[in-house]
Amino acid sequence: MKFMKLGSRPDTFYTTEAVRSVSSEVSSDLIIQVKGSRYMLHKFPLLSKCMRLQRICSESPETLQPQIIQLPDFPGGIEAFELCAKFCYGITITLSAYNIVAVRCAAEYLQMTEDVEKGNLVYKIEVFFNSCILHGWKDSIITLQSTKAFSLWSEDLGITSRCIESIASKVLTHPSKVSLSHSHSRRVQDDMSCNGAESQRHQQTIKGWWAEDIAELSIDLYWRTMIGIKSGGKIPSNLIGEALQVYASRWLPNISRKVKTNREATTASTSDSDSAGEVTSKHRLVLESLVSLLPSERGAVSCSFLLKLLKVANILNASSSSKMELARRVALQLEEARVSDLLIPCLSHSSDTLYDVDIVLTIFEQFMLQGQSPPTSPPRSKLGIERRRRSRSAENVDLEFQEARRSSSASHSSKLKVGRIVDGYLQETAKDVNLPLSKFIAIAETIPNISRPDHDDLYRAIDIYLKAHPELNKSERKRLCRILDCRKLSVEACMHAAQNEKLPLRVVVQVLFFEQSRAAATGAKVADLPSNIKALLASHNIDPSKPPGPLSTTTSIPADDEWSNPGIKSPKSRNSRLRTKVAGEDDLDENEMNRDGMGRPSKFKAFCALPRRPKRMFNKLLSINRSGSEKN
């Protein structure tokens, strides 16, 4: 650390009865009061260097008594004033990064400029500041920190801006050209490997060598410094993100265990509430400033860090704009998230849920609104010479799918990952007895059906929700189970669902239909069923011990109990209708290519095992396809 000594005389200031004086053979003729302290000094050495004191004394009438001057708004306090006074007496003073700002403001207040005397205090401080302080890394940071107590003076004198420019310019240079602090030099030596080569950790430290040092700044100065660093355009966004994480860990500790929730705060005392409110306001300012500094590049910070910020923002009741910005950024990297990071505590008075499902629902919705292309169509089988007959509309849809396949394979992969995350989140939140059914269904429906290759995890979430909410009536249980596609359940999940007494019986019937068709295709046997399920099947003339092939096509389920399964429901848009036609044509082509009877019986049995409503839809589609083929 750099320092400068001015003056050569020994220190002769002393205190007597709360009054500071200087040893001299001449009696004092000037009394100066600064911040409640009293100084008995002499006019000649002070007035010869301080223009302000000259003007005040000239405006006062001369008397035989010592003249009294009051300086209530003196910047820097008694320490800075005493250093200025000692300079006037020629007493040795020491200036460093810790006190240079206070003395510079005090000298400016007293107008100790070159107009009064050559080589005055203001000139000497400026030379030391520009030639030494701004050239040192640690000195610049300490000086910038000390400007906080004299913010207005420091801004007017340009001290703050010059320190920020100095720090930013040093960050943009290699650390070998910067005079680093002793603590950083020791960290670098500790990271050296035994053979003298630099370890990977050391190389990472070199890249972000500046992050820990500037993390000591207050948030307003840190924000301005980071803006200066980012404006240089030379620092990679990932290093900016790492620096923000260092600052967040320094000033945003794990306050979730310390900050009282809104429900608990109502019973706290007034003094405790005021103290906690002040701390919360400071943390909220830090959080919102960090959010505004986040790099715009995707992946500059980890998804886990963003979710931690969002969790803290929820606890601190940050602005809605900050929460939405964090939610949008999390959505860009949602495939990297962990379910545990998405469990954000809910502290709202308007909701009794354990976790804030609204903000997570917003994240899922933002993920689906990223402008990703439609998912690609499933691969089609090729046996020998391709003999596919499509209608003109189906060919157009296929061309669109081919184009989407080239542009959105990565997005489709991320959707599959997010689908697993959503189902894992549903399994955790389903345990909350206060979670409304509408919120559960809304979260489950945020991702498209293509993002769930199987529905086993979704079934587990539904089963957990039914166990945690035994008060659901029949209609609500039906509404819950509509999001489940029984065709995508594994054998184990189907057998569990077939014996799950909490599921509506009609869902069990549908599970059995698909499981029987699958068992018939593989030659396996259907496991024994509970008595209530057997009774239900018997009421519809269904024998579960026999394969579903012989089942009458007139077997039906009452209209009020039919299910609109998302995987087989009638499409409402033109594109979905065309995609369904393509899928129907593929099934038809495969049956035609297997005229030896190896594949057709099992598919026919599976078709007969479908509930009545999907069969009618498939019959209609088959007739459309046949008419189109005849035209071709």
Side-chain angles (χ1 to χ4, degrees):
M1 179 175 292
K2 303 293 184 179
F3 62 92
M4 179 179 67
K5 287 188 176 183
L6 300 175
S8 57
R9 294 179 56 187
D11 189 356
T12 55
F13 272 67
Y14 65 95
T15 302
T16 303
E17 296 180 356
V19 176
R20 294 283 286 172
S21 305
V22 60
S23 298
S24 176
E25 297 178 355
V26 180
S27 60
S28 62
D29 55 356
L30 185 63
I31 300 176
I32 300 179
Q33 294 181 351
V34 179
K35 302 288 184 179
S37 298
R38 192 179 182 90
Y39 287 86
M40 298 188 66
L41 306 174
H42 303 82
K43 288 184 178 181
F44 174 72
L46 268 70
L47 299 185
S48 62
K49 290 182 171 60
C50 302
M51 178 68 74
R52 189 184 188 94
L53 297 182
Q54 286 184 19
R55 187 176 67 254
I56 294 176
C57 290
S58 63
E59 295 174 354
S60 301
E62 295 185 1
T63 60
L64 298 178
Q65 299 295 328
Q67 189 171 356
I68 301 176
I69 299 177
Q70 295 184 358
L71 304 175
D73 56 344
F74 191 86
I78 58 176
E79 294 84 2
F81 173 79
E82 192 164 317
L83 288 174
C84 292
K86 288 179 180 180
F87 174 81
C88 295
Y89 280 96
I91 297 174
T92 302
I93 61 174
T94 302
L95 299 180
S96 66
Y98 288 101
N99 61 6
I100 189 173
V101 176
V103 178
R104 176 66 180 85
C105 296
E108 186 70 21
Y109 181 88
L110 294 174
Q111 299 178 3
M112 303 175 70
T113 63
E114 296 296 286
D115 297 336
V116 183
E117 185 181 71
K118 294 296 182 181
N120 211 342
L121 184 57
V122 170
Y123 171 77
K124 293 183 180 294
I125 291 177
E126 284 293 326
V127 171
F128 175 64
F129 179 72
N130 293 323
S131 61
C132 296
I133 296 296
L134 294 181
H135 281 222
W137 168 254
K138 198 67 176 179
D139 291 333
S140 299
I141 293 178
I142 294 174
T143 303
L144 182 59
Q145 283 179 304
S146 62
T147 61
K148 185 70 174 177
F150 319 99
S151 57
L152 295 179
W153 283 92
S154 299
E155 291 291 345
D156 293 339
L157 298 176
I159 299 175
T160 304
S161 59
R162 284 184 286 174
C163 286
I164 292 175
E165 292 174 1
S166 173
I167 294 172
S169 64
K170 291 177 175 59
V171 170
L172 300 177
T173 62
H174 194 271
S176 61
K177 300 180 181 180
V178 180
S179 178
L180 299 178
S181 62
H182 173 69
S183 60
H184 178 79
S185 301
R186 185 173 57 190
R187 290 197 303 270
V188 170
Q189 293 177 0
D190 293 339
D191 289 334
M192 297 293 289
S193 59
C194 297
N195 57 3
E198 292 183 350
S199 63
Q200 184 178 2
R201 178 186 172 191
H202 171 60
Q203 294 175 357
Q204 294 176 351
T205 304
I206 286 295
K207 293 180 180 179
W209 59 270
W210 45 273
E212 292 186 10
D213 287 335
I214 67 172
E216 299 298 324
L217 297 173
S218 58
I219 186 57
D220 53 341
L221 297 175
Y222 180 83
W223 188 87
R224 294 175 59 180
T225 303
M226 289 299 296
I227 291 296
I229 294 173
K230 293 175 67 177
S231 63
K234 296 181 179 180
I235 303 299
S237 59
N238 63 319
L239 293 184
I240 297 292
E242 291 177 4
L244 296 179
Q245 293 186 52
V246 171
Y247 193 87
S249 62
R250 170 69 175 83
W251 296 98
L252 285 177
N254 186 15
I255 60 174
S256 59
R257 300 178 182 176
K258 300 177 182 179
V259 177
K260 297 180 179 180
T261 63
N262 293 342
R263 299 163 188 165
E264 296 173 351
T266 55
T267 60
S269 61
T270 305
S271 58
D272 292 342
S273 299
D274 294 341
S275 177
E278 183 179 356
V279 173
T280 301
S281 299
K282 293 180 179 179
H283 286 155
R284 188 185 301 116
L285 176 61
V286 171
L287 174 73
E288 295 177 352
S289 300
L290 291 179
V291 172
S292 66
L293 289 172
L294 289 172
S296 58
E297 293 80 3
R298 183 182 185 274
V301 293
S302 65
C303 185
S304 176
F305 174 66
L306 292 172
L307 284 170
K308 288 179 181 177
L309 288 182
L310 185 57
K311 190 175 296 185
V312 174
N314 209 39
I315 294 173
L316 298 176
N317 194 22
S319 63
S320 57
S321 59
S322 297
K323 291 182 181 180
M324 285 301 300
E325 177 65 16
L326 287 172
R328 186 186 67 82
R329 290 180 178 271
V330 170
L332 294 175
Q333 305 171 223
L334 186 56
E335 66 272 14
E336 305 171 8
R338 296 178 300 180
V339 175
S340 58
D341 293 331
L342 290 170
L343 300 178
I344 302 174
C346 180
L347 306 177
S348 174
H349 286 292
S350 59
S351 177
D352 294 329
T353 57
L354 184 61
Y355 302 111
D356 192 342
V357 295
D358 292 329
I359 191 65
V360 176
L361 181 60
T362 301
I363 293 174
F364 293 154
E365 292 173 347
Q366 287 291 321
F367 173 78
M368 297 307 302
L369 293 176
Q370 291 176 17
Q372 297 180 352
S373 302
T376 59
S377 59
R380 299 183 177 91
S381 60
K382 295 182 179 180
L383 297 175
I385 300 175
E386 187 176 18
R387 300 171 55 188
R388 303 186 185 279
R389 292 177 293 181
R390 303 181 180 90
S391 63
R392 186 178 301 276
S393 58
E395 291 178 353
N396 293 337
V397 173
D398 186 66
L399 291 176
E400 294 177 3
F401 284 162
Q402 292 292 341
E403 183 66 24
R405 181 181 288 110
R406 290 191 293 267
S407 62
S408 67
S409 59
S411 64
H412 180 54
S413 175
S414 65
K415 285 182 179 180
L416 293 178
K417 295 178 181 178
V418 172
R420 291 191 291 268
I421 293 173
V422 171
D423 291 344
Y425 181 78
L426 286 173
Q427 293 179 35
E428 292 295 329
T429 56
K431 305 172 186 177
D432 186 5
V433 296
N434 295 320
L435 179 64
L437 178 62
S438 58
K439 296 289 181 65
F440 184 92
I441 296 176
I443 294 174
E445 292 178 343
T446 51
I447 59 173
N449 196 38
I450 193 70
S451 298
R452 287 191 178 98
D454 64 81
H455 278 215
D456 284 11
D457 290 337
L458 181 60
Y459 169 71
R460 293 188 188 98
I462 292 175
D463 184 50
I464 294 173
Y465 191 87
L466 289 173
K467 292 178 181 178
H469 301 77
E471 73 282 356
L472 294 179
N473 56 36
K474 182 179 179 181
S475 175
E476 291 172 334
R477 287 187 287 121
K478 285 182 179 181
R479 180 185 172 195
L480 173 63
C481 293
R482 282 194 181 99
I483 61 179
L484 187 66
D485 188 348
C486 299
R487 298 180 304 171
K488 293 187 176 184
L489 294 178
S490 64
V491 176
E492 294 78 8
C494 283
M495 297 313 301
H496 186 279
Q499 304 181 50
N500 193 344
E501 296 182 355
K502 298 184 180 299
L503 292 176
L505 293 180
R506 295 304 175 183
V507 178
V508 178
V509 172
Q510 196 175 44
V511 170
L512 291 174
F513 279 151
F514 291 115
E515 182 57 26
Q516 280 188 317
S517 63
R518 179 160 51 191
T522 59
K525 294 182 179 181
V526 181
D528 193 18
L529 303 175
S531 58
N532 59 343
I533 304 300
K534 290 182 178 180
L536 176 63
L537 296 177
S539 64
H540 294 280
N541 298 323
I542 301 175
D543 186 359
S545 63
K546 297 180 180 180
L551 289 176
S552 173
T553 56
T554 59
T555 301
S556 62
I557 300 174
D560 58 344
D561 287 331
E562 291 181 357
W563 289 90
S564 56
N565 191 288
I568 56 178
K569 62 184 179 181
S570 177
K572 296 181 181 180
S573 63
R574 178 177 178 272
N575 288 337
S576 60
R577 185 181 298 109
L578 291 175
R579 293 170 188 167
T580 306
K581 290 173 65 179
V582 172
E585 291 169 0
D586 290 343
D587 293 339
L588 180 61
D589 294 335
E590 290 177 0
N591 292 335
E592 291 178 351
M593 284 184 283
N594 290 275
R595 297 182 182 275
D596 54 357
M598 296 301 294
R600 187 176 182 86
S602 61
K603 291 184 175 294
F604 179 75
K605 292 177 182 179
F607 174 73
C608 292
L610 294 176
R612 185 180 58 167
R613 180 179 293 180
K615 287 197 301 182
R616 290 203 302 267
M617 182 185 71
F618 284 163
N619 288 332
K620 184 178 180 180
L621 289 178
L622 288 175
S623 63
I624 294 175
N625 291 332
R626 288 179 181 135
S627 62
S629 300
E630 293 173 357
K631 291 180 181 181
N632 293 334

